[in-house]
Amino acid sequence: MENKNMRISQDQMIAKVINAKYSIDEQIALLRQKDAKPEEYEAFYAFAEQVKADVKKEYAGYAAQEGGGGVE
């Protein structure tokens, strides 16, 4: 069975997934230019929110499998 202590936190997983698509520099640029490039910012924001929801759901599944109550 997988060692629970070897898993990364939800926040770390969210950051890893977002960083796989958008570099830190791209994220900063999108945030800085959100008023000048609203379509690009909205696409980034929607992606980040979907990643958060997906990762939270996945981690909730882990907690349920282990019989735990909450998620990390």
Side-chain angles (χ1 to χ4, degrees):
M1 180 172 246
E2 178 183 356
N3 184 344
K4 182 179 176 182
N5 295 327
M6 304 255 321
R7 244 189 259 135
I8 65 174
S9 73
Q10 278 189 68
D11 290 339
Q12 289 170 323
M13 180 59 79
I14 291 166
K16 281 184 147 310
V17 175
I18 293 171
N19 291 342
K21 182 168 182 172
Y22 295 96
S23 71
I24 297 297
D25 289 338
E26 289 171 322
Q27 293 176 51
I28 292 169
L30 285 164
L31 291 171
R32 192 182 74 242
Q33 299 173 2
K34 81 180 212 180
D35 293 330
K37 298 180 179 180
E39 297 84 14
E40 291 179 34
Y41 172 77
E42 184 56 39
F44 164 71
Y45 182 83
F47 174 75
E49 290 299 309
Q50 186 62 55
V51 167
K52 285 171 46 178
D54 292 346
V55 169
K56 285 182 180 187
K57 183 177 178 180
E58 183 176 343
Y59 274 64
Y62 293 149
Q65 285 178 345
E66 294 172 356
V71 286
E72 294 178 31

